[in-house]
Amino acid sequence: MALIKTVKLTKETKQDLLQTLLKRSPNNYGAYEGTVAEIVGRVREEGDRALFAYTEQFDKCTIDAESIVVTETEIREAFTLLDADFVEVMKKAAVNIRTYHEKQVRNSWFDVQEDGSILGQRITPIARAGVYVPGGKAAYPSSVLMNVIPAKTAGVKEIIMTTPPGPDGKINPGTLAAAHIAGVNRIYKAGGAQAIAAMAFGTESIPRVDKITGPGNIFVALAKKAVYGYVSIDSIAGPSEILVLADETANARYVAADLLSQAEHDELASAILITTDETLARQVETEIETFVSSLSRREIIGKSLENYGYILIADTMEDAVDAANAIASEHLEILTADPFEVMTKIHNAGAIFLGEYSSEPLGDYYAGPNHILPTNGTARFFSPLGVDDFVKKSSIISYSRPALAAAHKDIELFARREGLTAHENSIKVRFEETV
């Protein structure tokens, strides 16, 4: 039996697939909401006392107001535990990420009219950002770089990070090194929903932030959902996903390898190939079988492919593109004779990788664009994390008397039609002597 399902792309199979993928949505985590609400509520009410208690309960680590903050000594020690080559690679990746995000920076603008009116937009960074970083086996230094560097580039003055400690009170050394390279101001030993609540409401030890970003498990995702509105968040991220659009020119071995690069994330990850070539589809099936037997996370991959792995055979590239836009995948690879031409027809995707040497992990680690992307079809209306996520925009309005005089009767009429006479009066009172 093949590890991955191969089906003909039809209206029915596309709809079935969309329904299947929706089952992975974080909106279906309702069974855990009560537990998360209790944790968030207790941390909000009790502050450090609840935070420390939950850290001992869930992370088996005893911390207090002094030990919760990662010290400079711990950061220096982290660098000694890492290969120098890896540290250099992180530094190179940081440069690429910073260079890419610097191009996203926008300036405030003002438009002065002849009548003396001034309209504009003032762009200012948020004051304090909070980054959540998972611990243990799910510690990814790359995510530290992707969260922190856009905030630094936006001009955020204070960036704090929370990450769960191990039972020994230690933090993953790669996480600490990445945080130092990216420019985090303070790191706190706190994880799970309790860390999200601490950043959202503040405790005696952890300051309240304006925005929380970063990945996490179900409890972290639900905690971010629960505190949204008290603070801003990046998104409620779902499981990872990749979609490959390919024609007969694609290399089956490359396609299989790229599909598996996402299937290994977790059992809910989705890996989909849509191709116009049935021969390629069969070759990819074979290559997947060959690769999986030698991969370290083959059990996770097997479950992922069994539940959410698909090869869809389309009659035309137009049908394939239509399905890709409906799925709105987090990662989209285009492996066709002319990937740039196909790309012009794509409207919904988190990140688009063009050509056979633009494999998805290039974006995960090194190229520069952010790897924190919309999942579960939300690429229809969400964008990758970027500089704009860490700034606020204020509208600027300044009218001279002549400018307002030319418009005041129109404004008063609008206010009267809406029944808001105080609005009308606020304008009218400025021209009483002319009435």
Side-chain angles (χ1 to χ4, degrees):
M1 181 179 175
L3 285 171
I4 191 167
K5 297 173 286 296
T6 299
V7 298
K8 182 76 173 174
L9 177 62
T10 65
K11 182 178 180 181
E12 290 73 25
T13 57
K14 182 177 75 173
Q15 192 59 38
D16 288 345
L17 173 58
L18 292 173
Q19 291 300 319
T20 298
L21 295 179
L22 282 175
K23 295 176 184 176
R24 304 156 59 250
S25 171
N27 291 322
N28 294 327
Y29 295 164
Y32 304 95
E33 285 184 342
T35 300
V36 169
E38 180 180 346
I39 293 171
V40 169
R42 187 176 165 196
V43 172
R44 184 180 185 183
E45 293 296 321
E46 301 178 18
D48 273 355
R49 184 173 63 163
L51 180 64
F52 298 158
Y54 282 127
T55 301
E56 186 164 4
Q57 178 182 346
F58 297 128
D59 299 311
K60 312 304 178 188
C61 176
T62 301
I63 58 171
D64 55 28
E66 291 187 6
S67 61
I68 192 173
V69 180
V70 172
T71 65
E72 289 294 327
T73 300
E74 288 175 295
I75 293 172
R76 286 194 297 270
E77 180 188 14
F79 278 94
T80 68
L81 298 173
L82 298 171
D83 293 337
D85 288 346
F86 179 44
V87 173
E88 285 307 308
V89 168
M90 281 198 286
K91 290 179 179 178
K92 288 180 182 179
V95 170
N96 293 342
I97 296 165
R98 187 173 297 110
T99 300
Y100 180 86
H101 286 85
E102 282 173 348
K103 293 178 173 61
Q104 297 179 350
V105 175
R106 292 194 282 175
N107 298 316
S108 300
W109 58 270
F110 300 91
D111 186 14
V112 181
Q113 301 294 321
E114 291 183 1
D115 62 7
S117 61
I118 300 173
L119 300 177
Q121 186 178 75
R122 186 163 181 248
I123 300 175
T124 55
I126 62 174
R128 183 185 292 132
V131 175
Y132 183 83
V133 179
K137 294 180 179 179
Y140 299 119
S142 58
S143 284
V144 178
L145 302 178
M146 294 290 182
N147 277 278
V148 176
I149 291 174
K152 292 289 287 187
T153 304
V156 178
K157 297 299 183 186
E158 186 178 1
I159 303 172
I160 69 168
M161 188 176 91
T162 61
T163 188
D168 59 357
K170 300 287 188 180
I171 302 296
N172 180 282
T175 296
L176 292 184
H180 181 78
I181 290 168
V184 172
N185 297 98
R186 285 194 307 283
I187 305 168
Y188 296 92
K189 298 175 182 178
Q194 61 272 23
I196 300 299
M199 288 192 285
F201 301 111
T203 72
E204 295 87 340
S205 296
I206 297 179
R208 180 180 180 179
V209 303
D210 301 307
K211 182 157 192 167
I212 299 172
T213 67
N217 61 17
I218 290 173
F219 297 97
V220 170
L222 286 175
K224 288 169 72 174
K225 183 178 180 181
V227 302
Y228 177 64
Y230 297 99
V231 293
S232 179
I233 63 172
D234 50 354
S235 64
I236 304 168
S240 188
E241 54 202 31
I242 185 171
L243 191 156
V244 178
L245 273 181
D247 62 15
E248 70 282 356
T249 67
N251 184 311
R253 191 165 174 81
Y254 297 171
V255 173
D258 293 353
L259 291 172
L260 296 177
S261 73
Q262 294 308 292
E264 77 169 342
H265 270 294
D266 62 62
E267 295 176 358
L268 293 175
S270 169
I272 299 170
L273 165 64
I274 306 179
T275 181
T276 52
D277 187 61
E278 190 167 349
T279 299
L280 176 73
R282 302 308 173 193
Q283 291 172 340
V284 170
E285 280 185 359
T286 301
E287 293 291 352
I288 285 175
E289 299 274 355
T290 302
F291 277 128
V292 169
S293 63
S294 63
L295 295 173
S296 61
R297 296 168 70 90
R298 53 185 170 272
E299 290 186 9
I300 292 174
I301 291 171
K303 286 290 187 182
S304 169
L305 294 180
E306 178 185 348
N307 294 321
Y308 303 107
Y310 289 87
I311 297 176
L312 302 175
I313 302 173
D315 289 329
T316 66
M317 186 53 66
E318 287 70 24
D319 290 340
V321 168
D322 179 67
N325 280 322
I327 293 169
S329 185
E330 176 188 19
H331 306 102
L332 172 65
E333 289 189 6
I334 304 178
L335 303 176
T336 61
D338 188 352
F340 286 90
E341 191 273 333
V342 174
M343 181 266 293
T344 64
K345 301 173 183 176
I346 296 297
H347 308 298
N348 304 324
I352 303 173
F353 300 79
L354 303 174
E356 64 181 11
Y357 294 105
S358 305
S359 177
E360 188 278 336
L362 175 66
D364 272 352
Y365 298 115
Y366 199 77
N370 212 290
H371 77 197
I372 299 167
L373 303 165
T375 58
N376 265 106
T378 59
R380 293 179 295 112
F381 45 81
F382 282 146
S383 305
L385 189 74
V387 169
D388 275 357
D389 289 286
F390 297 97
V391 300
K392 303 171 279 107
K393 300 168 186 135
S394 300
S395 301
I396 303 297
I397 303 170
S398 175
Y399 264 44
S400 64
R401 179 179 177 82
L404 185 61
H408 80 96
K409 291 188 180 297
D410 292 342
I411 302 166
E412 292 164 17
L413 175 60
F414 220 135
R416 282 199 303 276
R417 290 294 183 268
E418 292 192 349
L420 299 176
T421 54
H423 278 62
E424 177 188 5
N425 188 61
S426 174
I427 299 293
K428 197 172 185 179
V429 70
R430 286 164 167 77
F431 299 96
E432 286 177 328
E433 69 275 16
T434 63
V435 173

